[in-house]
Amino acid sequence: MHNPTYRQALSHAWHVVWQHKILWVFGLLSLFIGQFGTNDFIGKIWMITQKTLVFGKFHGALNLGLTTSIAIIWIFAICLALFILVLVISVLSQGALIVGSAESLRNHHLNLKKAWHRATTHFWALLTINILRILLTAIIVVIAGSLWTLILFSGLPAFLNTILSIILLAVALLVGLSISSWSTYSLCYSVLDGKGLTSAIKRGWALFHHHLLVSLELNALLLVVFIILCAVFYGLFFLSSAPALILWFIAGITGYFKLITIGLILWAGLLILLIAFAGALYNTFAITAWTYLFLKMHNEGIVSRVIHYFNKLVKR
């Protein structure tokens, strides 16, 4: 086994992302089914603590006419069709991104047609693994969020309340990130090695089990990258408001208040483009880094950096 080369993993991932910008399209399209990482795990748990499940009461029967009922059915059918379409494209893009990243890392060559074909071949396995990941993490989030709500309103002393909250969130994060890492390895086994669904899931779990600390360490590194990206994003967020502020200033001087609406639309458009760009870039980078680490684990094996430093300390 070799020492983990996280610097190489991140540098190789960035090189691939920057050299093959077409992968950003796959990164953007796969955001819908994207990996469930540290960056939004705490946020989802906190969201549960801020909301209460309210079961509404239906007052009276629904008196809908035939035309209204048909219109509602059509709207529902169209929304369902769009959801399925987005889901299929997202899953295929995720698989194509993994294959494209692996080919770029191995041969420094990208074949989009081959990547897309491999993704379509293993579509059902990719979809099932993602559904399992989403269901499992949703269960963890609901349980952790509910327990956190009980802790917050338990009336315990503040110190004990804080300790219990930290322990709960640490355990929830560990389980959530474990599920995310396992699912990533399972996806790689499916689309890169051509394993069936059951075999990919078993091999993904075995690989994660043998490289548990390495997986958590990469999650921590990607969290740092995400925080840096958020800092850059917030800076660009304020810069994106400059054109709107200029238009609002002109509107205040000239009295042409339609410029206020134009400024708002321009600002909203810039924000959407900025969010899409940041999401596509990070998603592509993260999946490429995971793919690199999978190839290293699969072919050579990696020792945790924590264990590596611990061994060096013991030898002294």
Side-chain angles (χ1 to χ4, degrees):
M1 283 191 174
H2 299 273
N3 294 328
T5 52
Y6 294 126
R7 182 180 299 177
Q8 292 181 14
L10 299 181
S11 63
H12 278 76
W14 177 250
H15 177 74
V16 169
V17 169
W18 191 253
Q19 184 179 12
H20 302 288
K21 297 181 180 63
I22 187 64
L23 291 176
W24 298 9
V25 178
F26 290 145
L28 177 63
L29 295 176
S30 61
L31 277 175
F32 181 76
I33 200 75
Q35 293 302 307
F36 193 98
T38 316
N39 44 297
D40 63 348
F41 194 91
I42 297 178
K44 289 185 180 295
I45 295 176
W46 176 253
M47 181 179 64
I48 290 180
T49 65
Q50 302 300 306
K51 294 182 179 181
T52 305
L53 294 177
V54 178
F55 297 91
K57 298 180 179 180
F58 292 94
H59 298 282
L62 292 176
N63 298 315
L64 299 177
L66 179 61
T67 305
T68 304
S69 300
I70 294 175
I72 291 175
I73 293 173
W74 269 107
I75 292 173
F76 175 78
I78 292 172
C79 291
L80 180 61
L82 288 174
F83 172 80
I84 294 174
L85 178 62
V86 171
L87 179 64
V88 170
I89 293 176
S90 185
V91 171
L92 291 177
S93 297
Q94 183 189 55
L97 179 56
I98 294 174
V99 176
S101 300
E103 291 297 319
S104 300
L105 291 167
R106 287 168 173 168
N107 309 318
H108 304 286
H109 177 70
L110 178 61
N111 188 328
L112 293 177
K113 185 177 180 180
K114 178 182 178 182
W116 190 261
H117 176 72
R118 290 281 293 275
T120 55
T121 301
H122 302 283
F123 169 77
W124 290 110
L126 295 174
L127 178 62
T128 304
I129 292 170
N130 276 294
I131 290 175
L132 287 175
R133 171 180 59 82
I134 292 172
L135 288 176
L136 290 174
T137 48
I139 292 171
I140 297 301
V141 167
V142 171
I143 293 175
S146 301
L147 291 176
W148 196 12
T149 303
L150 292 176
I151 292 174
L152 291 176
F153 296 99
S154 61
L156 295 173
F159 176 75
L160 183 58
N161 196 312
T162 302
I163 295 297
L164 291 176
S165 297
I166 292 174
I167 294 174
L168 174 63
L169 288 178
V171 173
L173 274 174
L174 179 62
V175 177
L177 295 179
S178 299
I179 294 171
S180 178
S181 302
W182 155 76
S183 67
T184 302
Y185 299 145
S186 299
L187 291 171
C188 290
Y189 270 117
S190 176
V191 77
L192 295 180
D193 285 6
K195 303 299 182 182
L197 175 61
T198 304
S199 178
I201 291 175
K202 290 181 178 179
R203 289 173 180 266
W205 174 254
L207 189 65
F208 167 73
H209 181 262
H210 288 107
H211 298 87
L212 190 150
L213 287 178
V214 176
S215 302
L216 296 179
E217 288 166 8
L218 181 60
N219 270 304
L221 282 175
L222 290 177
L223 175 61
V224 173
V225 173
F226 180 77
I227 292 173
I228 295 174
L229 181 64
C230 284
V232 175
F233 174 81
Y234 280 116
L236 294 175
F237 169 79
F238 289 109
L239 287 177
S240 67
S241 64
L245 292 175
I246 293 173
L247 289 176
W248 296 343
F249 178 74
I250 296 174
I253 295 176
T254 62
Y256 189 68
F257 295 111
K258 288 185 178 180
L259 290 177
I260 297 177
T261 304
I262 296 174
L264 285 173
I265 295 173
L266 179 61
W267 192 10
L270 289 175
L271 279 179
I272 291 172
L273 290 176
L274 184 59
I275 292 171
F277 170 76
L281 182 63
Y282 177 76
N283 194 38
T284 305
F285 176 79
I287 290 180
T288 304
W290 277 110
T291 304
Y292 176 88
L293 207 65
F294 169 80
L295 294 175
K296 286 292 183 181
M297 291 178 181
H298 187 37
N299 298 326
E300 303 172 14
I302 295 178
V303 176
S304 166
R305 179 63 69 182
V306 173
I307 294 179
H308 171 68
Y309 285 135
F310 180 76
N311 290 335
K312 288 180 65 176
L313 186 64
V314 170
K315 288 179 181 179
R316 290 179 181 178

